[in-house]
Amino acid sequence: MVGKTRNTTAEDVYKIVKGKILNLTYKPGYSLSAFTLSEELEVSRSPVREALIRLAAENLVEIFPQIGTRVALINLDKVSEERFLRKSLEESAIRAFVNNPSAKHIQRMKILIDEQIVALQEKNMVLFLEKDDAFHEEYFIAINKRTCWELSLNFTSNEHRLRLLSLSSVGGTLDTVIETHKNLIAAIEMQDEQKAVAVMKQHLGRISNEISKLVAQYPEIFTYNDDKHRSRYPKKSVEFPENFLLTIN
């Protein structure tokens, strides 16, 4: 919780609320209000309003004037665009890294796999996904393209939430992610560009095969660009089961 004595700014509130949206603590469709958030974070309403406007510009919240504000639903059309961006950047990055691999960065990737295994044992899906992102970030760092990684991270919020949901809801996904990461490292160590790219495509394409299962399980949290009902504010927050994630921070 953020205390008043810490001189909390709109930037602080933005980071806190965005983090809770991305890790599904604030679930898609969940009602937000400046009053409730200001009470929860122990700040005035002004920085909360500023933060919500900024999050709305990033399509993470939806503001309905005179009615209310909610966490944006997961837009599957935007997921498609975000995945196109990520796959394009990831494939280019892995090609560059395979042709000039760094032992230091490979070792760091192996450590991150071990940390993912620990997160899996603890059933902490948020931590598991954080380590997953760090694994992919490592080869962007290795080829001196960190800005490209940050671009991908900042423009894939729908995909990020979908990935987290998939980890908890689709059987076998967690073990598959870890095994694929191991296979990717093996291809990198052999400097086998063709195999590394093939593994990467399989890895990044996995979520596309799981979308229909997730939509069937949680239809109320998804939308499309042409969804006629997307702009309607619900009378109450979407309800979710307690085990929406295996572990919720």
Side-chain angles (χ1 to χ4, degrees):
M1 181 173 287
V2 180
K4 295 178 182 178
T5 58
R6 293 180 59 183
N7 191 29
T8 304
T9 65
E11 178 70 19
D12 297 321
V13 175
Y14 162 79
K15 290 179 179 178
I16 293 169
V17 177
K18 182 175 182 177
K20 290 189 175 185
I21 291 173
L22 291 179
N23 69 21
L24 298 179
T25 298
Y26 295 156
K27 302 169 186 66
Y30 180 77
S31 291
L32 297 171
S33 74
F35 174 78
T36 301
L37 287 173
S38 65
E39 289 289 309
E40 179 181 335
L41 302 177
E42 296 185 350
V43 298
S44 68
R45 297 186 197 180
S46 180
V48 172
R49 292 193 186 99
E50 290 182 43
L52 290 176
I53 291 172
R54 185 174 172 185
L55 290 165
E58 297 181 9
N59 299 309
L60 284 173
V61 305
E62 295 175 295
I63 298 175
F64 299 80
Q66 309 303 319
I67 301 176
T69 299
R70 71 177 181 188
V71 176
L73 304 180
I74 297 175
N75 188 310
L76 293 176
D77 286 321
K78 292 187 183 300
V79 167
S80 178
E81 290 190 53
E82 292 169 5
R83 293 196 59 72
F84 182 86
L85 170 65
R86 185 181 176 198
K87 288 167 70 176
S88 299
L89 291 173
E90 291 258 7
E91 183 174 332
S92 296
I94 206 65
R95 287 184 187 277
F97 186 49
V98 167
N99 287 296
N100 188 25
S102 161
K104 178 181 73 173
H105 293 289
I106 290 174
Q107 181 58 31
R108 174 61 182 155
M109 291 165 72
K110 290 179 178 179
I111 291 172
L112 286 164
I113 290 176
D114 291 337
E115 292 176 352
Q116 278 192 292
I117 293 172
V118 172
L120 173 56
Q121 293 169 344
E122 295 175 350
K123 296 185 177 180
N124 189 329
M125 301 302 99
V126 173
L127 180 60
F128 187 95
L129 190 58
E130 287 177 1
K131 299 303 179 181
D132 186 273
D133 282 339
F135 177 92
H136 289 266
E137 180 184 17
E138 195 63 28
Y139 46 81
F140 280 87
I141 295 173
I143 65 172
N144 196 29
K145 294 293 185 292
R146 187 194 291 266
T147 301
C148 292
W149 169 255
E150 292 175 352
L151 173 68
S152 175
L153 204 62
N154 290 334
F155 284 89
T156 54
S157 59
N158 284 277
E159 192 227 20
H160 179 95
R161 292 187 291 165
L162 187 68
R163 287 166 60 208
L164 180 54
L165 185 60
S166 169
L167 293 177
S168 291
S169 304
V170 180
T173 296
L174 296 158
D175 291 330
T176 299
V177 169
I178 291 172
E179 186 63 28
T180 305
H181 281 180
K182 291 179 178 178
N183 292 339
L184 182 60
I185 288 178
I188 292 169
E189 290 181 320
M190 293 186 294
Q191 292 189 260
D192 187 333
E193 179 180 327
Q194 184 176 356
K195 182 176 181 180
V197 171
V199 171
M200 178 60 69
K201 286 182 176 180
Q202 178 188 22
H203 182 49
L204 296 181
R206 171 190 54 78
I207 192 72
S208 298
N209 299 323
E210 298 174 354
I211 288 176
S212 60
K213 298 177 184 177
L214 295 172
V215 171
Q217 191 169 357
Y218 302 108
E220 66 272 33
I221 70 171
F222 293 101
T223 188
Y224 297 87
N225 287 339
D226 61 352
D227 189 341
K228 296 179 180 179
H229 303 291
R230 184 164 60 92
S231 61
R232 296 182 184 177
Y233 189 80
K235 293 182 179 179
K236 63 179 181 178
S237 294
V238 175
E239 297 295 330
F240 297 88
E242 289 297 321
N243 62 345
F244 183 78
L245 289 181
L246 296 181
T247 299
I248 297 180
N249 284 0

